[in-house]
Amino acid sequence: MIKLDILAFGAHPDDVELGCAGTIALEVSRGKKVGIIDLTQGELGTRGSKELRALEATNAQNILGVAVRENLQLADGFFQNTPEAQLQIIRMIRKYQPEIVLCNAVRDRHIDHGKGSKLVSDACFLSGLIKIETFENGILQEAWRPKVVYHYIQWENITPDFVVDISDFMKTKMNAVLAYSSQFFQEDSEEPITPIATKNFLESIEYRAKDLGRLTGVAYAEGFTVERVPLVKSLDFLH
């Protein structure tokens, strides 16, 4: 077992990159072990294919220096917050024992994002209950509950509860996003246009990060919302 410091979940391959790739790159540079779990293969996506997106996800993983990446192969568009789905995520949480879980935005344009957010959040709680038994390779897993769950921001402009300075990692974030060449704007592409395949959307990744940076006094930032009020040890936590 590889114990991770951070485990990031996304409903689709590319959700994590769009929402928090800069933060992941920062934490990897600090020596943190990070993993990514994709809930679906993105098989309903208008552009590309699940096979191509799997290759793109591996490329993005390598760009970010992420230790592990797995895909639960839940049904794109149709997965629900069921006991069966929760148990799959519980197994991942117990397998990697992260201190921090990152997951989809609490609400968003794509229906899978809000569903994925709630599914992962519920599983994080349930994963700490010792009477829920799960097994990995026939061995009973230890109950494990992450210390915190943070939700990254996606399509909607949700007001963050805190932001992370990714000024030194904005280029890495964009490289990880652009690893999904099937999904995003390309001048000579003959694929159908989708909301995320426009030039405006591609540019918005940078200008959102730049605007969050402007508001907080840095060049680029990524925002997150929290599930409970964070505890700080003193008022000088910003220094």
Side-chain angles (χ1 to χ4, degrees):
M1 184 197 79
I2 302 173
K3 187 188 181 311
L4 299 176
D5 300 296
I6 301 169
L7 187 55
F9 288 85
H12 313 102
D14 76 19
D15 282 355
V16 169
E17 286 80 3
L18 288 167
C20 60
T23 299
I24 287 175
L26 166 65
E27 296 299 341
V28 168
S29 78
R30 297 176 62 231
K32 300 291 186 180
K33 288 187 172 63
V34 183
I36 297 175
I37 306 293
D38 301 307
L39 302 186
T40 78
Q41 299 174 88
E43 64 269 22
L44 294 184
T46 302
R47 297 160 65 102
S49 65
K50 65 181 183 181
E51 293 81 10
L52 178 54
R53 293 186 77 167
L55 291 173
E56 292 171 339
T58 298
N59 290 338
Q61 174 187 352
N62 293 334
I63 290 168
L64 293 174
V66 169
V68 294
R69 186 167 201 157
E70 297 197 39
N71 194 301
L72 298 184
Q73 298 185 16
L74 300 182
D76 190 13
F78 293 99
F79 73 83
Q80 297 295 325
N81 192 353
T82 63
E84 293 76 18
Q86 290 168 357
L87 284 168
Q88 287 200 58
I89 294 168
I90 289 169
R91 290 186 190 98
M92 292 295 102
I93 294 168
R94 291 177 173 181
K95 178 179 180 179
Y96 293 115
Q97 299 185 348
E99 305 297 324
I100 298 171
V101 161
L102 308 177
C103 60
N104 286 99
V106 291
R107 65 177 188 276
D108 214 43
R109 180 189 68 85
H110 197 300
I111 60 171
D112 280 355
H113 296 171
K115 286 192 298 179
S117 173
K118 178 64 172 167
L119 170 59
V120 172
S121 177
D122 287 353
C124 284
F125 176 81
L126 294 171
S127 185
L129 302 180
I130 61 174
K131 290 185 178 179
I132 296 177
E133 294 187 348
T134 56
F135 297 84
E136 177 73 12
N137 296 324
I139 299 172
L140 180 66
Q141 291 182 305
E142 177 186 350
W144 183 270
R145 183 176 294 146
K147 292 179 180 177
V148 292
V149 179
Y150 298 140
H151 300 262
Y152 47 82
I153 296 170
Q154 298 186 257
W155 182 274
E156 291 196 19
N157 286 323
I158 297 173
T159 301
D161 293 316
F162 70 91
V163 302
V164 175
D165 179 3
I166 62 163
S167 300
D168 293 335
F169 300 93
M170 189 64 202
K171 184 176 180 180
T172 306
K173 175 186 175 77
M174 290 307 301
N175 287 339
V177 168
L178 292 172
Y180 295 90
S181 58
S182 69
Q183 299 303 302
F184 302 115
F185 176 77
Q186 290 183 314
E187 197 76 53
D188 57 352
S189 174
E190 296 181 0
E191 292 269 19
I193 297 298
T194 69
I196 66 169
T198 64
K199 186 177 182 181
N200 187 17
F201 178 79
L202 190 61
E203 292 174 346
S204 77
I205 300 167
E206 182 170 354
Y207 66 63
R208 167 182 273 167
K210 187 176 290 187
D211 193 50
L212 286 175
R214 174 187 66 83
L215 293 170
T216 50
V218 299
Y220 296 99
E222 287 175 334
F224 298 84
T225 60
V226 303
E227 296 191 356
R228 65 173 186 263
V229 177
L231 173 69
V232 298
K233 298 298 184 180
S234 73
L235 293 181
D236 66 356
F237 70 99
L238 289 176
H239 301 289

